[in-house]
């Protein structure tokens, strides 16, 4: 045992020294940013970016862009997304995309030229990811740069959500940055002036009006849709199944009458809310903060049920200057009826206060987007959007002219108008992509955190649980089912050795939190695993949080019930097989510094992607490999975990630094008793009685035996001594006559000896 411990320490020290050497070498190496656009253009045909294009012009400027021509006609420009904005993917490396953009700001072509994303390298077909990204083609990002539209949404690819979102986000951000630089106009810098208008809300007008007047002058805007119109919209969008499932059987029935009005404007607010309601609203609003009243009636609810389940109104979104806001329940107040005479009685009236962190100007045009949802097949849904535009009538604000120096344009002769953006103030930057991803995953994150808290409770109260074997067996099986079905197959939160390699590589190149935060469940699980390593070693993940490990154990439980014979690997052979996983990990670790792409490909020794992420929907060699490992696990419990898992090996190495020893042993364990060693499901207990925490999955079976006074020899002796002592403590054991009970004539019992 001591020899084995010394070997493991030697392995750990070797890895640490190798990491230090590699970090020093990488930092000492010169780092020069290569000009990648020309090399990528050599591998592309101009027609892949612009239809009919036949040549690229000379690359110019910094960041570089290249003109694209059809004969002598300038069609637009080609640029590399990573030259203008961050495009770091989940691999920790940039995703390089060459984009073709017209001078007007319309995207005409997208070509994915280089990436290191593992889910795309092996797993999700690249054509599916590219197809999702191609939904940006034809979008006018000039309007997005000018704040007139919100950024376009791409088609999400199941299993590669983060990768597709990172790609689309980088294309949109880079295009907006290029457009706002005015380089598409071919202008030179000269001093000139632009006159713009600044609007200020006029608070002097406070006289209340009436419903008909506000509706007539545009103070209240409405959107009216019938069921038939919505069904036609679904059919036109290619959602035939949704078109066949109308809310009511009659097409002329009202789908929704949707109204919107800015009640922070005094005249509108006092008319619709009444004097008391308006004053109450003003007491809640901060200076410059706005409030909107949204009302609806018909077969469709603009509120839905999302705000009840997750606190968010997922059917409406406020849009302005290319940014969007979904209201939450804390921004909402229910209104029973309008205060003004002549107003209709509507089923739903809601008052929304616009949060101060959302840059919103009530005097500028904005839109309320309604998301109409219908079920298609199974639990799938289709959705289409209808926009209700709003512009505040000019009678409610004053206008002042602002003179702003801008660059004068020296425009090349062209049939189309270049995308030049003139603003008095820079538009607020959109929040980082990872913030949006975390916001979209609030519910799944809450469930994951709750599950981790439950697991923490199981570990802290393990003694109480293992003394109740039936309850503990039910708890463990239920948790494994949750890990497999929800955490694995539903949420795709399967950790991988690729995460470890990516993290290590990022430390020696350019570490950024952004691409680790892009997968919230993976980030939360890794944080929990890191904390667990300090307390329990690798056991919490390998034994409880690994979906593939849970799949192996559950299948083995079924195999035992079906009386499939279980193979006990001889200790000598078992001891020589378990180092294989450490060798695999060290091989991947070293290869990752030479080529992360090769390391990710060889990391397919993990069947996680096949069995968990893609649910066996892969090419037959990968499926056969995964099924073979699962079949071996029917005879040897957790065969893959024991001998092949590089992630388990990667966790075992830092797991040596754990601060506590939670697994209890008796002095008799191993000498002479061998029961725990023989019954350990993964043979992590040495014949001498010591538990090898590097191999232990913390199933707690040995702790059940530790407290069982009918199976553990030590506890059996303790029980027998206790029973003997109790027997000697009785009167009969001391030779005394037991007391006699005599009943008297009045029914009273008297004890006599």
């Amino acid at each position: 045992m001591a020899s084995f411990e010394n070997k493991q320490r030697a392995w750990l020290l070797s890895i640490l020294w190798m990491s230090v050497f590699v970090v020093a070498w990488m930092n000492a190496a010169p780092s020069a940013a290569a000009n990648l656009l020309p090399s990528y253009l050599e591998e592309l045909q101009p027609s892949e970016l612009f239809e009919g294009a036949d040549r690229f012009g000379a690359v110019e400027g910094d960041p570089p862009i290249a003109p694209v021509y059809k004969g002598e006609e300038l069609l637009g420009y080609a640029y590399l997304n990573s030259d203008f904005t961050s495009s770091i993917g989940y691999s920790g490396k940039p995703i390089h995309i060459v984009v073709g953009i017209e001078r007007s700001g319309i995207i005409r072509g997208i070509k994915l030229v280089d990436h290191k994303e593992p889910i795309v390298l092996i797993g999700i077909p690249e054509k599916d990811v590219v197809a999702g990204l191609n939904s940006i083609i034809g979008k006018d990002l000039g309007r997005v740069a000018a704040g007139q539209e919100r950024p376009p949404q791409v088609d999400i690819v199941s299993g590669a959500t983060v990768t597709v979102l990172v790609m689309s986000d980088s294309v949109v951000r880079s295009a907006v940055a290029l457009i706002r630089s005015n380089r598409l106009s071919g202008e030179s810098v000269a001093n000139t002036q632009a006159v713009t208008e600044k609007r200020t809300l006029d608070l002097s007008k406070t006289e209340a009006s009436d419903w008909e007047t506000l509706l007539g002058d545009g103070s209240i805007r409405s959107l009216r849709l019938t069921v038939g119109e919505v069904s036609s919209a679904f059919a036109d969008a290619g959602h035939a199944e949704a078109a066949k499932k109308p809310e009511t059987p009659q097409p002329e029935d009202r789908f929704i009458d949707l109204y919107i009005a800015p009640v922070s404007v005094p005249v509108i607010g006092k008319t619709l809310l009444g004097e008391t309601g308006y004053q109450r609203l003003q007491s809640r609003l901060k200076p410059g903060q706005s409030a909107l009243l949204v009302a609806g009636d018909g077969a469709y609810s603009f509120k839905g049920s999302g705000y009840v389940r997750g606190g968010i109104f997922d059917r409406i979104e406020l849009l302005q200057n290319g940014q969007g806001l979904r209201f939450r329940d804390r921004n909402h107040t229910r209104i029973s009826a309008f205060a003004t005479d002549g107003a209709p009685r509507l089923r739903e009236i809601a008052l929304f206060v616009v949060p101060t962190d959302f840059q919103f100007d009530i005097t500028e045009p904005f839109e309320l987007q309604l998301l109409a949802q219908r079920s298609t097949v199974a639990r799938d849904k289709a959705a289409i959007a209808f926009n209700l535009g709003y512009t505040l009538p000019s009678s409610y604000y004053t206008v002042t002219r602002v003179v702003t120096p801008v660059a004068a344009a020296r425009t090349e002769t062209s049939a189309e108008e270049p995308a030049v953006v003139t603003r008095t103030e820079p538009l607020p930057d959109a929040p980082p992509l990872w913030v949006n991803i975390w916001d979209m995953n609030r519910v799944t994150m809450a469930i994951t955190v709750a599950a981790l808290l439950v697991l923490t409770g199981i570990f802290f109260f393990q003694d109480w649980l293992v003394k109740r074997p039936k309850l503990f067996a039910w708890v463990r099986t239920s948790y494994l089912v949750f890990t497999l079905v929800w955490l694995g197959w539903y949420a795709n939160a399967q950790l991988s050795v690729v995460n470890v390699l990516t993290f290590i590589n990022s430390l020696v190149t350019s570490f950024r939190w952004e691409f680790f935060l892009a997968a919230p469940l993976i980030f939360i699980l890794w944080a929990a695993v890191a904390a667990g390593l300090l307390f329990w070693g690798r056991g919490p993940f390998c034994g409880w949080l690994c979906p593939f490990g849970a799949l192996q154990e559950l299948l083995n439980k079924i195999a035992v019930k079906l009386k499939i014979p279980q193979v006990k690997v001889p200790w000598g052979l078992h001891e020589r097989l378990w180092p294989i996983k450490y060798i695999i990990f060290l091989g991947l670790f070293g290869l990752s510094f030479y080529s992360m792409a090769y390391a990710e490909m060889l990391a397919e020794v993990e069947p996680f992607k096949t069995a968990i992420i893609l649910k066996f929907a892969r090419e037959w060699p990968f499926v056969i490999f995964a099924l073979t490992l699962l079949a071996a696990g029917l005879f040897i419990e957790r065969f893959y975990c024991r001998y092949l898992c590089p992630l388990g090996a990667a966790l075992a190495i830092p797991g040596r630094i754990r601060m506590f020893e939670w697994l209890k042993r008796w002095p008799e364990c191993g000498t002479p008793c061998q029961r725990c060693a023989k019954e350990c499901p993964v043979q992590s207990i040495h014949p001498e009685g010591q538990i090898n925490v590097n191999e232990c999955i913390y199933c707690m079976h040995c702790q059940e035996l530790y407290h069982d006074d009918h199976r553990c020899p030590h506890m059996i002796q303790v029980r027998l001594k206790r029973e003997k002592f109790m027997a000697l403590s009785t009167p009969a054991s001391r030779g005394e006559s037991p007391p006699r009970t005599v009943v008297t004539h009045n029914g009273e019992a008297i004890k006599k000896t």
Side-chain angles (χ1 to χ4, degrees):
M1 178 65 184
S3 174
F4 181 79
E5 296 282 345
N6 292 334
K7 289 179 182 178
Q8 288 190 319
R9 291 191 181 96
W11 291 350
L12 178 58
L13 288 174
S14 299
I15 292 172
L16 291 176
W17 277 114
M18 183 166 62
S19 300
V20 171
F21 173 77
V22 171
V23 171
W25 179 79
M26 294 290 291
N27 290 336
S31 58
N35 189 354
L36 298 176
L37 181 61
S39 61
Y40 289 137
L41 292 182
E42 291 177 0
E43 302 173 4
L44 291 180
Q45 295 298 320
S47 57
E48 294 182 82
L49 299 179
F50 288 88
E51 186 176 357
D54 51 26
R55 66 185 176 94
F56 293 111
V59 176
E60 57 189 44
D62 184 26
I65 61 176
V68 185
Y69 294 93
K70 179 181 180 181
E72 296 302 317
E73 179 187 359
L74 176 63
L75 299 181
Y77 291 88
Y79 72 91
L80 192 63
N81 66 322
S82 53
D83 287 337
F84 287 84
T85 188
S86 171
S87 61
I88 301 296
Y90 188 69
S91 65
K93 303 295 175 61
I95 301 173
H96 298 297
I97 302 171
V98 176
V99 182
I101 185 170
E102 290 183 355
R103 299 181 67 204
S104 60
I106 298 176
I107 300 295
R108 287 304 179 195
I110 296 174
K111 185 67 176 180
L112 177 62
V113 291
D114 187 30
H115 68 88
K116 300 295 186 294
E117 294 298 277
I119 195 69
V120 182
L121 286 171
I122 299 178
I124 303 296
E126 185 171 299
K127 61 180 179 61
D128 292 348
V129 175
V130 172
L133 192 63
N134 284 344
S135 58
I136 301 178
I137 294 177
K139 301 297 184 182
D140 186 355
L141 297 189
R143 294 180 61 81
V144 176
Q148 298 170 351
E149 289 184 3
R150 66 192 300 261
Q153 302 298 311
V154 296
D155 298 331
I156 297 302
V157 178
S158 178
T161 302
V162 172
T163 296
V164 174
L165 287 176
V166 168
M167 289 179 176
S168 64
D169 182 70
S170 69
V171 170
V172 172
R173 286 178 184 267
S174 61
V176 169
L178 176 58
I179 293 168
R180 289 180 178 176
S181 71
N182 287 336
R183 293 178 62 193
L184 295 181
S185 66
E187 64 183 32
S188 61
V189 177
N191 291 328
T192 186
Q193 293 180 332
V195 179
T196 56
E197 294 182 347
K198 183 178 180 180
R199 300 175 178 180
T200 306
L201 190 64
D202 186 359
L203 300 178
S204 62
K205 298 179 179 180
T206 59
E207 207 55 45
S209 183
D210 58 79
W211 176 268
E212 292 299 331
T213 300
L214 295 183
L215 195 63
D217 66 11
S219 300
I220 301 173
R221 299 291 174 92
S222 64
L223 172 69
R224 298 168 182 259
L225 295 169
T226 66
V227 173
E229 289 172 337
V230 175
S231 298
S232 298
F234 274 110
D236 294 341
H239 301 299
E241 290 296 326
K244 297 176 183 177
K245 298 181 178 180
E247 288 70 21
T248 63
Q250 301 301 323
E252 64 273 11
D253 286 347
R254 180 171 48 185
F255 177 79
I256 193 170
D257 287 349
L258 186 66
Y259 298 87
I260 186 171
V263 287
S264 51
V265 176
V267 173
I268 303 174
K270 289 184 177 182
T271 303
L272 299 181
L273 301 177
E275 183 68 34
T276 303
Y278 175 75
Q279 294 302 330
R280 189 183 302 117
L281 171 64
Q282 285 298 312
S283 66
R284 292 174 52 192
L285 298 180
K286 297 178 181 179
Q289 192 174 17
S290 301
L292 302 174
L293 192 143
V294 181
D297 202 4
Y300 191 73
S301 166
F302 71 83
K303 288 185 176 182
S305 58
Y307 76 102
V308 177
R309 299 190 310 271
I312 188 168
F313 291 82
D314 58 356
R315 292 186 177 183
I316 54 173
E317 184 173 9
L318 179 64
L319 308 175
Q320 190 180 60
N321 291 337
Q323 308 299 314
L325 168 70
R326 292 193 186 279
F327 294 106
R328 305 194 65 83
D329 52 2
R330 59 176 174 267
N331 313 128
H332 166 256
T333 301
R334 181 179 176 275
I335 304 295
S336 58
F338 295 115
T340 182
D341 294 334
R345 297 197 63 83
L346 303 178
R347 183 162 60 96
E348 295 175 328
I349 306 176
L351 174 64
F352 293 109
V353 174
V354 180
T356 54
D357 55 359
F358 180 72
Q359 300 294 325
F360 181 73
D361 186 349
I362 198 69
T363 64
E364 295 293 333
F366 63 89
E367 293 177 306
L368 184 72
Q369 185 177 84
L370 173 70
L371 197 66
Q373 300 174 335
R374 282 183 182 175
S375 300
T376 53
V377 293
R379 298 175 59 187
D380 294 338
K381 287 186 177 181
I384 53 175
F386 298 92
N387 284 17
L388 170 56
Y390 189 95
T391 301
L392 188 68
S394 58
S395 58
Y396 294 118
Y397 59 82
T398 59
V399 179
T400 56
R401 293 183 177 274
V402 179
V403 179
T404 308
V406 297
R410 178 178 53 81
T411 309
E412 298 178 4
T413 303
S414 173
E416 26 179 5
E417 181 184 351
V420 181
V421 181
T422 302
R423 299 179 305 277
T424 58
E425 296 179 358
L427 288 173
D429 291 332
L433 177 62
W434 71 266
V435 174
N436 294 331
I437 295 175
W438 280 63
D439 190 59
M440 290 188 300
N441 288 275
R442 288 175 181 268
V443 176
T444 54
M445 289 191 300
I447 294 174
T448 302
V449 171
L452 292 173
L453 292 176
V454 169
L455 183 59
T456 304
I458 291 173
F459 285 169
F460 272 93
F461 297 99
Q462 64 182 45
D463 288 343
W464 184 86
L465 268 174
V466 296
K467 290 178 182 178
R468 297 159 177 80
K470 291 184 178 179
L471 173 62
F472 178 70
W474 180 86
V475 169
R476 176 160 174 78
T477 301
S478 300
Y479 205 96
L480 291 177
V481 171
F482 166 82
T483 297
L484 173 62
V485 176
W486 192 88
L487 206 58
W489 284 338
Y490 177 78
N492 289 338
Q494 169 72 68
L495 303 188
S496 167
V497 72
V498 174
N499 306 140
V500 179
L501 302 179
T502 299
F503 179 77
I504 295 173
N505 271 262
S506 70
L507 291 178
V508 299
T509 53
S510 55
F511 181 82
R512 298 178 59 133
W513 281 110
E514 293 177 10
F515 56 83
F516 293 107
L517 292 168
L521 294 191
I522 299 295
F523 182 86
I524 291 171
L525 285 176
W526 270 117
V529 169
L533 289 173
L534 298 177
F535 286 83
W536 303 284
R538 62 176 275 205
F541 172 73
C542 295
W544 295 80
L545 293 172
C546 176
F548 188 77
L551 177 60
Q552 289 181 95
E553 185 166 331
L554 293 171
L555 288 177
N556 185 264
K557 288 180 181 291
I558 296 173
V560 171
K561 289 186 178 295
L562 296 177
K563 302 190 183 304
I564 294 177
Q566 300 298 295
V567 177
K568 190 76 172 179
V569 181
W571 177 258
L573 177 61
H574 172 69
E575 194 176 24
R576 285 161 178 78
L577 289 177
W578 80 42
I580 293 176
K581 60 179 174 287
Y582 295 93
I583 296 172
I584 294 174
F585 170 68
L586 291 175
L588 294 172
F589 179 79
L591 182 61
S592 67
F593 289 105
Y594 171 72
S595 171
M596 189 64 190
Y598 287 154
E600 289 165 351
M601 292 175 66
L602 293 181
E604 279 296 319
V605 69
E606 290 181 331
F608 304 161
K609 195 179 301 178
T610 301
I612 304 300
I613 305 299
L614 302 177
K615 306 173 187 66
F616 298 100
R618 294 191 77 180
E619 295 82 359
W620 65 267
F622 297 103
V623 175
I624 289 179
F625 176 67
L627 292 177
T628 301
L629 294 177
L630 291 174
L634 298 178
F635 302 92
I636 302 174
E637 184 168 347
R638 286 185 177 253
F639 171 83
Y640 174 78
C641 299
R642 295 197 204 188
Y643 306 125
L644 298 177
C645 182
L647 178 57
L651 295 177
I653 295 171
R656 299 291 301 169
I657 65 175
R658 74 191 189 286
M659 298 183 296
F660 305 100
E661 188 58 68
W662 295 68
L663 300 178
K664 301 176 181 178
R665 311 296 290 149
W666 296 115
E668 297 90 339
C669 291
T671 307
C673 179
Q674 296 287 319
R675 180 148 194 171
C676 288
K678 291 180 179 179
E679 292 192 18
C680 177
V682 293
Q683 293 181 256
S684 65
I685 302 178
H686 286 257
E688 295 85 357
Q690 302 95 334
I691 298 175
N692 184 356
V693 293
N694 294 328
E695 305 304 315
C696 176
I697 62 169
Y698 223 91
C699 67
M700 299 190 211
H701 180 69
C702 61
Q703 300 306 288
E704 284 188 69
L705 294 176
Y706 178 89
H707 292 285
D708 195 326
D709 59 8
H710 285 79
R711 291 188 293 169
C712 174
H714 175 90
M715 290 302 297
I716 290 173
Q717 293 298 320
V718 171
R719 177 176 57 81
L720 292 177
K721 289 179 182 179
R722 182 174 64 250
E723 291 176 351
K724 183 177 180 181
F725 175 78
M726 292 178 63
L728 291 174
S729 300
T730 60
S733 65
R734 298 195 299 266
E736 301 175 358
S737 299
R740 293 183 294 113
T741 302
V742 178
V743 180
T744 63
H745 68 280
N746 59 4
E748 295 181 357
I750 302 175
K751 291 183 179 179
K752 292 186 177 182
T753 59

